[in-house]
Amino acid sequence: MTLTIASWNINSVRLRMPIVKRFAETARPDILCLQETKVRDEDFPFSDLRELGYDHIEISGQKGYHGVAILSRLPLEEVTRGPFCREGHARHISARIGAGTGAAAGLRIHNFYVPAGGDEPDPAVNPKFDHKLDFLDAMTRGPAERHLVPERAVVVGDLNIAPLETDVWSHKALLKVVSHTPVEVEAFARVRAAGGWVDAMRERIPPAEKLYTWWSYRSPDWSAADKGRRLDHVWLSPDLLDGLGAIRVFREARGWDKPSDHVPVTAELRL
DNA sequence: ATGACGGTTCTTAACCGA
C-alpha cells in the first residue's frame, strides 16, 4: 500500500478550515499533521475534519498559541503528547498507526512545532532562542516516553530551521537571521544525525535546487519576490527510505484565499 | 529586508510569529 503523509502549519485551524478542506480534497493525504492550530482541545473543530474523512484525530492544543494535531484515515494508537521541553507549550504529538491496518500498522508519526526562537540569535539575551536550542537538544536526546526512535517512524513538522543554503532565498542575508544561523543549523544537524533521520524532501528535490515552504505575510508580492525559507520538513527513519515515493510542496496554497504563511508538504510512502 | 501582515485574546491595543 501507499500512504500519503502531509504536514502543514496552518496558523489557526478554525480560520483555515476552507483551505484545509481544499487541500484535503486536492491531495487526499491519509495522514495530515497540523501545526499552530491555536485552539484549546475543547474547541477543536472535530466534526468539520471528520467530514473530510479523518475519523481518527489526536490533538494537543492550548489557547491562542502553538498546538499540534494528527488527522488520520487509519486508526491511531499509543499517542504521546504534552509539553516536550519546559514552557508547557503544545509542540509535539506522536501516534502509531493501529493494528489491523495491513502494511501501515505500527508506523509511528511524530508531529513537531519547534519554537521559532524570537529575534536575537543569542541564548544569553533571548530566552526564546535559548528555549529553541534546548528544544532541539531534547529532540536529540529523544526522551524514551515519546518513542522518538528511528525505526519505522516519520518525523514531520514546522521545525523552524532552514538548514541548507538553498533552503533560503539568500544564504548571506540570512546568516544572522533566526531560522538560518549556524548555531541552529548545527543543532538541527545533531537532531538528524542522532536518529540517522533521512531528509525526505531532499531525497527527491536535489539539494542544489532552491526549495521553500514559507513566505512572510509581510511581502507584498510573495511569489514574485520569492523570499522564502524551507522551514517545514519530512524525515524518515532509514528503514523507510526504500519506500519513499513522490514529495510534493504545495506552493500554490500560499496563493489561496486567506492563506497560511506556510504551505503543505506531502510524502508518499510505500509500505 | 526585524518589516509593508495576519493571527490571538484578558480585543479595538498588545503580543506573537519567523
Side-chain angles (χ1 to χ4, degrees):
Chain A
M1 69 178 294
T2 298
L3 201 67
T4 300
I5 300 169
S7 178
W8 194 6
N9 177 323
I10 31 83
N11 187 16
S12 169
V13 67
R14 289 172 294 182
L15 205 62
R16 232 53 85 189
M17 198 55 65
I19 62 170
V20 168
K21 183 171 192 287
R22 183 170 176 179
F23 172 68
E25 290 171 350
T26 303
R28 300 201 54 79
D30 300 290
I31 310 270
L32 173 50
C33 294
L34 302 176
Q35 304 90 36
E36 276 206 271
T37 51
K38 293 189 174 180
V39 63
R40 292 179 297 197
D41 289 354
E42 56 266 43
D43 297 326
F44 194 86
F46 285 103
S47 60
D48 290 339
L49 293 164
R50 287 199 189 103
E51 280 177 21
L52 299 178
Y54 299 105
D55 290 337
H56 310 279
I57 297 175
E58 297 295 342
I59 61 177
S60 178
Q62 64 183 83
K63 186 167 67 174
Y65 299 102
H66 322 310
V68 286
I70 302 177
L71 320 179
S72 175
R73 299 186 193 280
L74 302 171
L76 301 173
E77 61 184 26
E78 280 188 18
V79 180
T80 76
R81 77 186 103 219
F84 188 82
C85 170
R86 54 188 170 92
E87 307 297 339
H89 297 168
R91 294 181 176 276
H92 175 248
I93 187 167
S94 89
R96 206 171 73 161
I97 297 178
T101 56
L107 183 77
R108 182 165 288 274
I109 310 289
H110 288 272
N111 180 9
F112 278 102
Y113 175 46
V114 172
D119 289 337
E120 185 60 48
D122 179 355
V125 301
N126 174 9
K128 291 178 182 176
F129 196 73
D130 188 47
H131 182 220
K132 184 177 196 175
L133 296 180
D134 279 355
F135 195 99
L136 293 164
D137 281 349
M139 288 176 75
T140 304
R141 291 194 301 276
E145 72 280 7
R146 294 304 178 113
H147 304 295
L148 186 57
V149 178
E151 290 166 17
R152 205 170 166 69
V154 180
V155 171
V156 304
D158 175 4
L159 305 186
N160 265 321
I161 292 171
L164 304 181
E165 294 191 13
T166 49
D167 291 335
V168 292
W169 64 273
S170 167
H171 170 62
K172 191 160 181 263
L174 290 173
L175 267 173
K176 293 181 177 174
V177 174
V178 171
S179 72
H180 191 63
T181 65
V183 64
E184 292 166 85
V185 170
E186 286 159 16
F188 184 92
R190 282 196 295 275
V191 180
R192 201 154 76 76
W197 300 102
V198 177
D199 180 350
M201 296 172 71
R202 285 311 193 176
E203 288 291 317
R204 288 292 173 272
I205 296 108
E209 288 182 23
K210 293 278 193 184
L211 184 60
Y212 313 138
T213 64
W214 173 89
W215 293 262
S216 173
Y217 281 127
R218 300 185 192 218
S219 184
D221 190 349
W222 71 272
S223 190
D226 202 21
K227 291 182 173 175
R229 306 176 199 173
R230 182 170 72 114
L231 302 178
D232 302 275
H233 298 270
V234 179
W235 291 352
L236 305 179
S237 56
D239 53 321
L240 297 178
L241 180 56
D242 282 350
L244 177 63
I247 291 283
R248 194 157 173 228
V249 177
F250 283 73
R251 180 182 169 109
E252 64 267 36
R254 185 63 179 77
W256 290 350
D257 194 40
K258 294 277 284 177
S260 169
D261 45 358
H262 294 253
V263 299
V265 179
T266 63
E268 290 178 359
L269 205 52
R270 292 182 299 269
L271 295 166

